């Protein structure tokens, strides 16, 4: 399997320290999702390209729905290969450089009813959400990259 290129190192996304006045409310286009295992191996669970949206409302709600490229190849097992869609929704709280997501519903049943803390990097119309040390996953580091839609 070819080694995946990290979104954090691509020209698509430059990560900077977060601006505390950066406005996250609005509609964001999902441009990438990646995971890293403890050895630093990068995995793209939705493949590439990725499509979808992340929405933050002024009332404190959020929803993310993303889907990877649909393969034209069929498999003998419908469970083979990486997960091809991502969905979770609930309420959020913005801290200076973090966003707490209180997840009410998720495509990952283990996330439903939990709170996930994402570190926030922002630049102009692009943000990166880093989930670190997820005890429920063998790929503990996750990155969701979005840009203003």
């Amino acid at each position: 399997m070819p080694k995946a290129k990290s979104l954090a190192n691509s020209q698509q996304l430059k990560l900077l320290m977060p601006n505390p006045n950066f406005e996250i409310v609005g509609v964001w286009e999902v441009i990438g999702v990646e995971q890293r295992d403890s050895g630093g191996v990068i995995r793209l669970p939705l493949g590439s390209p990725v499509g979808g949206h992340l929405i933050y409302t002024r009332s404190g709600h959020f929803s993310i729905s993303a889907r990877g490229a649909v393969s034209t190849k069929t498999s003998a097992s419908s469970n083979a290969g990486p997960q091809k869609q991502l969905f979770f929704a609930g309420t959020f709280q913005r801290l200076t450089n973090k966003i707490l997501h209180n997840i009410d519903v998720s495509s990952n049943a283990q996330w439903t009813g939990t709170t996930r803390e994402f570190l926030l990097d922002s630049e102009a119309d692009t943000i990166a959400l880093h989930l670190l040390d997820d005890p429920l996953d063998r790929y503990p580091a996750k990155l969701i990259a979005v840009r203003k839609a």
Side-chain angles (χ1 to χ4, degrees), residues 1 3 9 29 34 36 39 41-42 45 56 59 63 79 86 88 94 99 118 135 141 148:
M1 174 190 284
K3 189 172 180 180
N9 295 329
E29 176 187 4
E34 76 175 33
R36 286 178 191 254
V41 175
I42 298 168
Y56 288 109
S59 63
S63 174
N79 294 326
L86 168 73
F88 56 101
R94 166 77 189 271
I99 303 176
F118 286 82
K148 200 70 166 170

Side-chain angles (χ1 to χ4, degrees), residues 44-100:
L44 304 176
L46 302 183
S48 182
V50 173
H53 290 92
L54 169 60
I55 301 168
Y56 288 109
T57 69
R58 292 206 185 285
S59 63
H61 292 85
F62 80 93
S63 174
I64 183 169
S65 181
R67 182 178 176 106
V70 178
S71 173
T72 57
K73 296 178 182 178
T74 58
S75 171
S77 169
S78 61
N79 294 326
Q83 179 181 352
K84 291 293 183 185
Q85 53 189 13
L86 168 73
F87 170 79
F88 56 101
T91 60
F92 76 94
Q93 179 183 2
R94 166 77 189 271
L95 306 175
T96 301
N97 65 341
K98 298 176 186 175
I99 303 176
L100 300 178

Side-chain angles (χ1 to χ4, degrees), residues 18-24 94 96 122:
N19 175 345
N21 300 317
F22 185 79
E23 181 63 64
I24 64 166
R94 166 77 189 271
T96 301
S122 60

